[in-house]
Amino acid sequence: MNITRSIKIVAFFYLVISFFICLAFSYPIHEGFYLDLRNIPIIIGGLYMGLGPLLGLVTIGIRGMYGIDFDFWLTAIFYSAISFSLWRLSPFFLKQSSNQRILFSVGFTFLLSLIQTVLEFVHLPYPLFDVYFAFLFIQPLGVGMIAYYIEETRKSAILSERLLKVNRQEVIEKMGAAISHEIRNPLTAAIGFVQLLQSENISDENRLQYLSILRRELKSAERVIQDYLNLSKPEIKLVESLIVQEEIQRVIQLLQPSANRNSVQVITYFSHEATIEGDRQKFHQCLVNIMKNAIEAMPNGGILKVETHSTQTNVRITIGDTGSGMTSEQVVRLGEPYYSTKGDKGTGLGMIVVFSFIRAMNGTIHVESELGVGTTFEIMFSSSSISVAQTETKNTTSELVLR
């Protein structure tokens, strides 16, 4: 079932319900004569949704419940003609401009009300000018108000869709430029060293050095491509039980050389041992990206503090640094694929991968930062199980380099 058909089915039921409401609140003006607003849902549904025949059948069917008499046949003929007219007019109506559709629907309703007034009320034994006015004024007004609301809603939907497309195109263009720039740099350097390796007078020592640099630059380009692929497909396919504290320790051990170079002291505080469900490799990548950025934000040394707090319902991981920090505007833009606080040295792909993977693992991430003070990442997961060790907390300090 396509979306358009589903919308029509839902709209039909709403129109039928509104039709019954109109009949339920009908107003008796004479024996056998009632005023109601049944024409409003019929005209709106017939013109905008092309449901005139269905709504006409509903109208005739409901009238048949009150008896098959002369008035029933008049109603059947009248609404058969109206529903057929609406069905034929709907394609033409939908091709018109917004203002034209509103005017057309109001004018059609007034014409229909005028015909009904002449057919039903002209032979009453007493004048009912107030009733004529209400019948000729209220129904066109109601159709006009609903048509105006529909047109404004449609305009808003079209504008939102266009804005979304523009934003997507802008993101794609900027992200493409960032990826192209990030890949071009290592590839340009690699081409240069390939040309140097083609030299006949190159020494073995320089050859090994150039090959090492060439390999590093190609790895850098590969890493950018991998980040982009991870961004495109952030879903978690491999789900396994992860002991949070053990995985954090592995990441800290992996980043130890980088922390040493920046004179960063790593402090860990782990509460009860807990497990979460997720992909180990992607979880590592998230932690590596966050901690690596934290270490790089402290080129002159500092403290990287990693904490875990677990309860029976969730696990919270807090990663804080004493680095340069970010402004509130930078925090808001954090995670955009083309935005990086490192300037030309980064593309922002690493952080968008972090946000994507955390969401894919049913987690949430919150960032707080103050310029010149530091940044704190708080990651929250729903815990699959909590196991309490004999000692309720473990407080350790990994002094990679003492300041």
Side-chain angles (χ1 to χ4, degrees):
M1 183 182 297
N2 55 44
I3 297 177
T4 303
R5 186 179 177 187
S6 300
I7 292 175
K8 284 191 174 182
I9 292 175
V10 173
F12 173 72
F13 282 108
Y14 272 108
L15 291 169
V16 170
I17 292 173
S18 64
F19 183 84
F20 276 104
I21 293 175
C22 290
L23 291 180
F25 290 94
S26 60
Y27 177 74
I29 61 171
H30 187 70
E31 183 179 356
F33 291 93
Y34 296 86
L35 287 179
D36 57 58
L37 302 176
R38 77 181 75 174
N39 289 340
I40 294 179
I42 293 175
I43 293 174
I44 292 296
L47 291 177
Y48 278 96
M49 303 300 298
L51 299 174
L54 289 176
L55 294 171
L57 288 175
V58 172
T59 305
I60 296 172
I62 294 176
R63 177 59 184 84
M65 297 172 60
Y66 294 93
I68 308 298
D69 51 15
F70 179 75
D71 288 336
F72 166 79
W73 294 113
L74 286 179
T75 301
I77 294 172
F78 180 78
Y79 280 102
S80 294
I82 293 301
S83 60
F84 179 78
S85 300
L86 291 171
W87 177 61
R88 297 292 294 176
L89 287 172
S90 180
F92 167 79
F93 172 80
L94 295 175
K95 293 179 182 179
Q96 306 306 307
S97 65
S98 176
N99 291 335
Q100 289 175 335
R101 284 194 292 266
I102 295 175
L103 292 175
F104 185 91
S105 59
V106 172
F108 187 89
T109 307
F110 179 82
L111 180 62
L112 177 62
S113 300
L114 181 62
I115 294 174
Q116 284 185 295
T117 301
V118 172
L119 292 177
E120 297 184 13
F121 302 138
V122 73
H123 61 280
L124 291 179
Y126 47 87
L128 295 171
F129 295 105
D130 54 341
V131 174
Y132 298 157
F133 176 79
F135 199 73
L136 294 173
F137 176 75
I138 294 178
Q139 290 194 125
L141 177 63
V143 169
M145 293 173 61
I146 296 176
Y148 177 79
Y149 174 78
I150 292 175
E151 296 300 335
E152 290 300 313
T153 303
R154 176 177 290 183
K155 288 179 183 178
S156 299
I158 292 174
L159 290 176
S160 298
E161 184 177 356
R162 289 178 180 175
L163 181 60
L164 182 60
K165 289 182 179 179
V166 170
N167 290 339
R168 285 178 178 174
Q169 186 64 30
E170 183 181 0
V171 168
I172 291 173
E173 291 176 356
K174 291 185 177 181
M175 187 170 63
I179 294 173
S180 175
H181 172 74
E182 189 71 7
I183 293 179
R184 187 183 296 114
N185 288 339
L187 290 183
T188 301
I191 291 173
F193 283 105
V194 168
Q195 293 173 347
L196 290 175
L197 288 170
Q198 292 175 340
S199 175
E200 297 179 355
N201 300 325
I202 186 173
S203 64
D204 292 340
E205 181 181 355
N206 287 338
R207 185 184 301 277
L208 292 175
Q209 182 182 2
Y210 294 162
L211 286 172
S212 176
I213 296 175
L214 177 61
R215 183 174 181 271
R216 185 173 66 247
E217 294 299 326
L218 292 177
K219 282 287 186 182
S220 177
E222 180 187 14
R223 186 170 59 253
V224 174
I225 295 175
Q226 187 61 46
D227 283 344
Y228 177 73
L229 293 176
N230 290 334
L231 173 63
S232 302
K233 297 180 179 180
E235 68 271 8
I236 303 297
K237 295 183 178 180
L238 178 62
V239 178
E240 52 191 322
S241 295
L242 307 176
I243 301 177
V244 176
Q245 289 80 356
E246 292 183 2
E247 305 304 328
I248 292 176
Q249 290 284 23
R250 291 192 180 98
V251 172
I252 291 175
Q253 185 178 6
L254 177 66
L255 294 175
Q256 179 175 343
S258 177
N260 280 334
R261 286 193 298 270
N262 285 32
S263 301
V264 172
Q265 179 184 5
V266 181
I267 298 177
T268 60
Y269 175 87
F270 299 151
S271 65
H272 308 310
E273 186 177 89
T275 62
I276 61 174
E277 300 294 326
D279 187 305
R280 176 173 282 106
Q281 188 274 330
K282 290 179 171 56
F283 183 55
H284 277 196
Q285 187 174 358
C286 292
L287 295 178
V288 167
N289 283 337
I290 295 175
M291 294 186 193
K292 184 173 179 292
N293 286 342
I295 292 173
E296 292 176 351
M298 299 180 286
N300 299 320
I303 297 176
L304 175 63
K305 191 173 183 179
V306 184
E307 301 181 5
T308 64
H309 299 273
S310 58
T311 66
Q312 295 295 330
T313 57
N314 57 63
V315 177
R316 186 174 74 251
I317 303 171
T318 305
I319 303 173
D321 64 65
T322 58
S324 55
M326 295 179 289
T327 64
S328 58
E329 291 80 8
Q330 289 175 319
V331 172
V332 171
R333 298 191 63 187
L334 196 64
E336 295 182 10
Y338 53 85
Y339 178 76
S340 174
T341 57
K342 301 177 184 178
D344 294 336
K345 296 182 179 179
T347 62
L349 289 178
M351 288 311 302
I352 191 62
V353 167
V354 169
F355 280 82
S356 298
F357 284 160
I358 295 299
R359 285 195 298 267
M361 292 175 62
N362 297 321
T364 60
I365 184 168
H366 177 70
V367 184
E368 291 185 358
S369 186
E370 185 176 348
L371 201 62
V373 177
T375 303
T376 300
F377 283 78
E378 184 179 272
I379 306 172
M380 185 78 71
F381 294 103
S382 295
S383 57
S384 60
S385 61
I386 302 290
S387 58
V388 182
Q390 290 182 353
T391 56
E392 291 188 351
T393 60
K394 296 189 294 182
N395 191 353
T396 60
T397 302
S398 302
E399 297 183 356
L400 302 181
V401 173
L402 296 176
R403 297 181 60 193

